[in-house]
Short mmCIF file of all heavy atoms in Angstrom, two decimals:
data_model
loop_
_atom_site.label_atom_id
_atom_site.label_comp_id
_atom_site.label_asym_id
_atom_site.label_seq_id
_atom_site.Cartn_x
_atom_site.Cartn_y
_atom_site.Cartn_z
N GLU A 19 9.86 -0.78 23.17
CA GLU A 19 8.64 -1.60 23.16
C GLU A 19 7.91 -1.49 21.83
O GLU A 19 7.42 -2.48 21.29
CB GLU A 19 7.72 -1.19 24.32
CG GLU A 19 6.39 -1.91 24.34
CD GLU A 19 6.50 -3.43 24.54
OE1 GLU A 19 7.56 -3.93 24.95
OE2 GLU A 19 5.51 -4.12 24.26
N ALA A 20 7.85 -0.29 21.27
CA ALA A 20 7.19 -0.11 19.98
C ALA A 20 7.96 -0.84 18.88
O ALA A 20 7.36 -1.46 18.00
CB ALA A 20 7.08 1.37 19.66
N ILE A 21 9.27 -0.79 18.94
CA ILE A 21 10.10 -1.50 17.95
C ILE A 21 9.90 -3.00 18.07
O ILE A 21 9.78 -3.71 17.07
CB ILE A 21 11.59 -1.11 18.10
CG1 ILE A 21 11.77 0.36 17.72
CG2 ILE A 21 12.47 -2.00 17.23
CD1 ILE A 21 13.14 0.91 18.00
N ARG A 22 9.82 -3.50 19.30
CA ARG A 22 9.59 -4.93 19.52
C ARG A 22 8.26 -5.35 18.92
O ARG A 22 8.16 -6.36 18.21
CB ARG A 22 9.64 -5.26 21.01
CG ARG A 22 9.51 -6.76 21.32
CD ARG A 22 9.39 -7.03 22.82
NE ARG A 22 8.15 -6.50 23.38
CZ ARG A 22 6.92 -7.02 23.17
NH1 ARG A 22 6.78 -8.07 22.40
NH2 ARG A 22 5.86 -6.49 23.73
N ARG A 23 7.22 -4.56 19.18
CA ARG A 23 5.89 -4.88 18.64
C ARG A 23 5.86 -4.78 17.12
O ARG A 23 5.22 -5.58 16.44
CB ARG A 23 4.85 -3.97 19.27
CG ARG A 23 4.67 -4.26 20.76
CD ARG A 23 3.78 -3.27 21.45
NE ARG A 23 2.44 -3.26 20.85
CZ ARG A 23 1.56 -2.29 21.03
NH1 ARG A 23 1.86 -1.26 21.78
NH2 ARG A 23 0.38 -2.35 20.47
N LEU A 24 6.59 -3.81 16.58
CA LEU A 24 6.68 -3.66 15.14
C LEU A 24 7.37 -4.87 14.51
O LEU A 24 6.94 -5.38 13.46
CB LEU A 24 7.42 -2.37 14.79
CG LEU A 24 7.53 -1.99 13.33
CD1 LEU A 24 6.16 -1.84 12.68
CD2 LEU A 24 8.33 -0.71 13.18
N GLU A 25 8.41 -5.36 15.16
CA GLU A 25 9.11 -6.55 14.67
C GLU A 25 8.18 -7.77 14.67
O GLU A 25 8.20 -8.57 13.74
CB GLU A 25 10.35 -6.84 15.53
CG GLU A 25 11.52 -5.94 15.23
CD GLU A 25 12.05 -6.10 13.82
OE1 GLU A 25 12.13 -7.24 13.31
OE2 GLU A 25 12.37 -5.07 13.21
N GLN A 26 7.38 -7.91 15.72
CA GLN A 26 6.43 -9.02 15.78
C GLN A 26 5.42 -8.92 14.64
O GLN A 26 5.09 -9.93 13.99
CB GLN A 26 5.69 -9.03 17.12
CG GLN A 26 6.55 -9.43 18.28
CD GLN A 26 5.83 -9.28 19.61
OE1 GLN A 26 4.79 -8.63 19.71
NE2 GLN A 26 6.39 -9.89 20.65
N LEU A 27 4.93 -7.72 14.38
CA LEU A 27 3.97 -7.53 13.30
C LEU A 27 4.62 -7.80 11.95
O LEU A 27 4.01 -8.40 11.07
CB LEU A 27 3.43 -6.09 13.35
CG LEU A 27 2.33 -5.75 12.36
CD1 LEU A 27 1.10 -6.64 12.58
CD2 LEU A 27 1.95 -4.28 12.48
N LYS A 28 5.86 -7.39 11.82
CA LYS A 28 6.62 -7.63 10.58
C LYS A 28 6.71 -9.12 10.29
O LYS A 28 6.47 -9.56 9.16
CB LYS A 28 8.01 -7.03 10.73
CG LYS A 28 8.96 -7.33 9.61
CD LYS A 28 10.35 -6.81 9.94
CE LYS A 28 11.35 -7.78 9.40
NZ LYS A 28 12.71 -7.51 9.77
N GLU A 29 7.02 -9.90 11.31
CA GLU A 29 7.12 -11.36 11.14
C GLU A 29 5.76 -11.97 10.82
O GLU A 29 5.65 -12.85 9.97
CB GLU A 29 7.69 -12.00 12.40
CG GLU A 29 9.12 -11.61 12.69
CD GLU A 29 10.07 -12.00 11.59
OE1 GLU A 29 9.93 -13.11 11.04
OE2 GLU A 29 10.96 -11.18 11.25
N ARG A 30 4.73 -11.51 11.49
CA ARG A 30 3.39 -12.06 11.30
C ARG A 30 2.83 -11.75 9.92
O ARG A 30 2.23 -12.60 9.28
CB ARG A 30 2.46 -11.54 12.39
CG ARG A 30 1.14 -12.27 12.47
CD ARG A 30 0.34 -11.97 13.74
NE ARG A 30 0.08 -10.55 13.95
CZ ARG A 30 0.58 -9.82 14.95
NH1 ARG A 30 1.37 -10.37 15.84
NH2 ARG A 30 0.29 -8.55 15.08
N ARG A 31 3.05 -10.51 9.45
CA ARG A 31 2.47 -10.10 8.17
C ARG A 31 3.43 -10.27 7.00
O ARG A 31 3.05 -10.06 5.85
CB ARG A 31 2.03 -8.64 8.25
CG ARG A 31 0.86 -8.51 9.23
CD ARG A 31 0.10 -7.25 9.13
NE ARG A 31 -0.27 -6.86 7.79
CZ ARG A 31 -0.51 -5.60 7.44
NH1 ARG A 31 -0.44 -4.64 8.32
NH2 ARG A 31 -0.83 -5.31 6.21
N LYS A 32 4.66 -10.64 7.28
CA LYS A 32 5.67 -10.86 6.23
C LYS A 32 5.84 -9.63 5.34
O LYS A 32 5.86 -9.71 4.12
CB LYS A 32 5.30 -12.07 5.36
CG LYS A 32 5.07 -13.35 6.12
CD LYS A 32 6.38 -13.93 6.61
CE LYS A 32 6.16 -15.33 7.15
NZ LYS A 32 6.35 -15.45 8.58
N LEU A 33 5.93 -8.46 5.99
CA LEU A 33 6.13 -7.20 5.29
C LEU A 33 7.31 -6.46 5.91
O LEU A 33 7.60 -6.62 7.09
CB LEU A 33 4.89 -6.31 5.41
CG LEU A 33 3.64 -6.77 4.67
CD1 LEU A 33 2.45 -5.90 5.06
CD2 LEU A 33 3.85 -6.72 3.17
N PRO A 34 7.98 -5.63 5.14
CA PRO A 34 9.08 -4.83 5.70
C PRO A 34 8.54 -3.79 6.70
O PRO A 34 7.40 -3.34 6.58
CB PRO A 34 9.70 -4.13 4.49
CG PRO A 34 9.01 -4.64 3.29
CD PRO A 34 7.83 -5.44 3.70
N ARG A 35 9.39 -3.44 7.66
CA ARG A 35 8.99 -2.43 8.65
C ARG A 35 8.57 -1.13 7.98
O ARG A 35 7.60 -0.50 8.39
CB ARG A 35 10.12 -2.15 9.64
CG ARG A 35 10.30 -3.22 10.67
CD ARG A 35 11.20 -2.79 11.77
NE ARG A 35 12.47 -2.24 11.32
CZ ARG A 35 13.48 -1.98 12.10
NH1 ARG A 35 13.38 -2.20 13.40
NH2 ARG A 35 14.60 -1.49 11.64
N ALA A 36 9.30 -0.73 6.96
CA ALA A 36 8.98 0.54 6.28
C ALA A 36 7.56 0.50 5.72
O ALA A 36 6.83 1.49 5.81
CB ALA A 36 9.99 0.81 5.17
N GLU A 37 7.16 -0.62 5.16
CA GLU A 37 5.80 -0.72 4.61
C GLU A 37 4.76 -0.64 5.72
O GLU A 37 3.73 0.02 5.57
CB GLU A 37 5.65 -2.04 3.84
CG GLU A 37 4.29 -2.23 3.21
CD GLU A 37 4.00 -1.23 2.09
OE1 GLU A 37 4.94 -0.66 1.50
OE2 GLU A 37 2.81 -1.02 1.81
N LEU A 38 5.02 -1.30 6.85
CA LEU A 38 4.10 -1.24 7.99
C LEU A 38 3.98 0.19 8.52
O LEU A 38 2.88 0.64 8.85
CB LEU A 38 4.56 -2.19 9.09
CG LEU A 38 4.53 -3.68 8.75
CD1 LEU A 38 5.21 -4.48 9.84
CD2 LEU A 38 3.11 -4.14 8.50
N LEU A 39 5.09 0.89 8.59
CA LEU A 39 5.06 2.27 9.08
C LEU A 39 4.35 3.19 8.10
O LEU A 39 3.58 4.07 8.52
CB LEU A 39 6.49 2.76 9.35
CG LEU A 39 7.17 2.10 10.55
CD1 LEU A 39 8.64 2.44 10.59
CD2 LEU A 39 6.47 2.50 11.84
N ARG A 40 4.56 3.00 6.79
CA ARG A 40 3.82 3.81 5.80
C ARG A 40 2.32 3.58 5.95
O ARG A 40 1.53 4.52 5.94
CB ARG A 40 4.26 3.46 4.38
CG ARG A 40 5.57 4.11 3.96
CD ARG A 40 5.83 3.94 2.48
NE ARG A 40 6.07 2.56 2.11
CZ ARG A 40 7.26 1.97 2.12
NH1 ARG A 40 8.33 2.64 2.49
NH2 ARG A 40 7.39 0.72 1.75
N GLU A 41 1.94 2.32 6.10
CA GLU A 41 0.53 1.98 6.27
C GLU A 41 -0.05 2.63 7.53
O GLU A 41 -1.14 3.20 7.50
CB GLU A 41 0.39 0.45 6.36
CG GLU A 41 -1.01 -0.05 6.48
CD GLU A 41 -1.04 -1.56 6.56
OE1 GLU A 41 -0.31 -2.23 5.80
OE2 GLU A 41 -1.81 -2.08 7.41
N ALA A 42 0.71 2.58 8.61
CA ALA A 42 0.25 3.17 9.87
C ALA A 42 0.09 4.69 9.74
O ALA A 42 -0.90 5.26 10.22
CB ALA A 42 1.23 2.84 10.99
N VAL A 43 1.03 5.35 9.09
CA VAL A 43 0.96 6.80 8.92
C VAL A 43 -0.24 7.17 8.04
O VAL A 43 -0.99 8.11 8.35
CB VAL A 43 2.27 7.36 8.34
CG1 VAL A 43 2.12 8.81 7.89
CG2 VAL A 43 3.40 7.24 9.36
N GLU A 44 -0.45 6.43 6.96
CA GLU A 44 -1.60 6.70 6.09
C GLU A 44 -2.91 6.54 6.85
O GLU A 44 -3.82 7.38 6.72
CB GLU A 44 -1.56 5.78 4.87
CG GLU A 44 -0.47 6.14 3.89
CD GLU A 44 -0.35 5.14 2.75
OE1 GLU A 44 -1.29 4.34 2.54
OE2 GLU A 44 0.68 5.16 2.06
N GLN A 45 -3.03 5.48 7.65
CA GLN A 45 -4.24 5.27 8.43
C GLN A 45 -4.44 6.39 9.45
O GLN A 45 -5.56 6.87 9.65
CB GLN A 45 -4.20 3.91 9.14
CG GLN A 45 -4.36 2.75 8.20
CD GLN A 45 -4.20 1.41 8.91
OE1 GLN A 45 -4.15 1.34 10.14
NE2 GLN A 45 -4.12 0.35 8.14
N TYR A 46 -3.36 6.81 10.10
CA TYR A 46 -3.44 7.89 11.07
C TYR A 46 -3.92 9.18 10.41
O TYR A 46 -4.80 9.86 10.93
CB TYR A 46 -2.07 8.10 11.73
CG TYR A 46 -2.04 9.27 12.66
CD1 TYR A 46 -2.55 9.19 13.95
CD2 TYR A 46 -1.52 10.50 12.24
CE1 TYR A 46 -2.54 10.27 14.80
CE2 TYR A 46 -1.50 11.59 13.09
CZ TYR A 46 -2.01 11.48 14.36
OH TYR A 46 -2.00 12.55 15.20
N LEU A 47 -3.34 9.51 9.27
CA LEU A 47 -3.73 10.74 8.57
C LEU A 47 -5.18 10.67 8.10
O LEU A 47 -5.90 11.67 8.17
CB LEU A 47 -2.78 10.99 7.40
CG LEU A 47 -1.33 11.31 7.79
CD1 LEU A 47 -0.45 11.39 6.55
CD2 LEU A 47 -1.25 12.58 8.61
N ASP A 48 -5.62 9.52 7.64
CA ASP A 48 -7.03 9.35 7.25
C ASP A 48 -7.95 9.59 8.44
O ASP A 48 -8.97 10.25 8.32
CB ASP A 48 -7.28 7.96 6.67
CG ASP A 48 -6.70 7.78 5.28
OD1 ASP A 48 -6.33 8.80 4.64
OD2 ASP A 48 -6.59 6.62 4.83
N ARG A 49 -7.58 9.04 9.60
CA ARG A 49 -8.39 9.23 10.81
C ARG A 49 -8.44 10.70 11.21
O ARG A 49 -9.48 11.20 11.63
CB ARG A 49 -7.84 8.40 11.96
CG ARG A 49 -8.46 7.04 12.08
CD ARG A 49 -8.24 6.40 13.44
NE ARG A 49 -6.93 6.61 14.03
CZ ARG A 49 -5.85 5.88 13.79
NH1 ARG A 49 -5.91 4.87 12.95
NH2 ARG A 49 -4.72 6.14 14.39
N GLN A 50 -7.31 11.40 11.07
CA GLN A 50 -7.28 12.82 11.42
C GLN A 50 -8.23 13.60 10.52
O GLN A 50 -8.93 14.49 10.99
CB GLN A 50 -5.86 13.37 11.31
CG GLN A 50 -4.90 12.81 12.33
CD GLN A 50 -5.36 13.03 13.75
OE1 GLN A 50 -5.66 14.13 14.15
NE2 GLN A 50 -5.43 11.96 14.51
N ASN A 51 -8.25 13.28 9.24
CA ASN A 51 -9.17 13.95 8.31
C ASN A 51 -10.61 13.66 8.69
O ASN A 51 -11.46 14.55 8.62
CB ASN A 51 -8.91 13.51 6.88
CG ASN A 51 -7.63 14.11 6.32
OD1 ASN A 51 -7.14 15.11 6.81
ND2 ASN A 51 -7.09 13.47 5.31
N GLN A 52 -10.91 12.45 9.09
CA GLN A 52 -12.26 12.10 9.50
C GLN A 52 -12.65 12.84 10.77
O GLN A 52 -13.78 13.30 10.91
CB GLN A 52 -12.39 10.59 9.71
CG GLN A 52 -12.32 9.80 8.43
CD GLN A 52 -12.23 8.31 8.67
OE1 GLN A 52 -12.21 7.84 9.80
NE2 GLN A 52 -12.15 7.56 7.60
N ASP A 53 -11.71 12.97 11.71
CA ASP A 53 -11.98 13.69 12.95
C ASP A 53 -12.28 15.16 12.69
O ASP A 53 -13.16 15.74 13.30
CB ASP A 53 -10.79 13.58 13.92
CG ASP A 53 -10.65 12.18 14.51
OD1 ASP A 53 -11.58 11.36 14.37
OD2 ASP A 53 -9.60 11.91 15.12
N VAL A 54 -11.55 15.77 11.75
CA VAL A 54 -11.78 17.17 11.41
C VAL A 54 -13.19 17.32 10.84
O VAL A 54 -13.93 18.23 11.23
CB VAL A 54 -10.72 17.67 10.40
CG1 VAL A 54 -11.13 19.00 9.78
CG2 VAL A 54 -9.37 17.78 11.07
N LEU A 55 -13.58 16.42 9.95
CA LEU A 55 -14.92 16.48 9.37
C LEU A 55 -15.97 16.28 10.45
O LEU A 55 -16.96 17.01 10.51
CB LEU A 55 -15.07 15.42 8.28
CG LEU A 55 -16.43 15.33 7.61
CD1 LEU A 55 -16.77 16.66 6.95
CD2 LEU A 55 -16.45 14.20 6.61
N GLN A 56 -15.74 15.31 11.34
CA GLN A 56 -16.69 15.04 12.41
C GLN A 56 -16.84 16.25 13.32
O GLN A 56 -17.95 16.62 13.69
CB GLN A 56 -16.21 13.83 13.23
CG GLN A 56 -17.26 13.15 14.02
CD GLN A 56 -18.29 12.46 13.13
OE1 GLN A 56 -18.08 12.20 11.97
NE2 GLN A 56 -19.43 12.18 13.69
N ASN A 57 -15.75 16.90 13.66
CA ASN A 57 -15.81 18.09 14.51
C ASN A 57 -16.49 19.24 13.80
O ASN A 57 -17.20 20.03 14.42
CB ASN A 57 -14.40 18.51 14.95
CG ASN A 57 -13.80 17.53 15.93
OD1 ASN A 57 -14.50 16.77 16.58
ND2 ASN A 57 -12.48 17.51 16.00
N ALA A 58 -16.30 19.35 12.49
CA ALA A 58 -16.92 20.43 11.74
C ALA A 58 -18.43 20.26 11.69
O ALA A 58 -19.17 21.23 11.67
CB ALA A 58 -16.35 20.47 10.32
#
Side-chain angles (χ1 to χ4, degrees):
E19 176 62 16
I21 293 172
R22 184 187 66 72
R23 292 173 60 196
L24 184 58
E25 283 296 320
Q26 290 174 344
L27 185 60
K28 173 186 144 187
E29 295 299 319
R30 192 167 56 247
R31 293 196 48 204
K32 305 286 190 248
L33 291 171
R35 283 192 309 190
E37 181 67 22
L38 295 171
L39 290 169
R40 280 190 293 272
E41 183 180 317
V43 168
E44 289 174 16
Q45 288 176 10
Y46 175 80
L47 293 174
D48 287 346
R49 268 197 321 275
Q50 293 303 307
N51 286 339
Q52 290 171 0
D53 289 347
V54 167
L55 178 59
Q56 200 67 18
N57 290 339

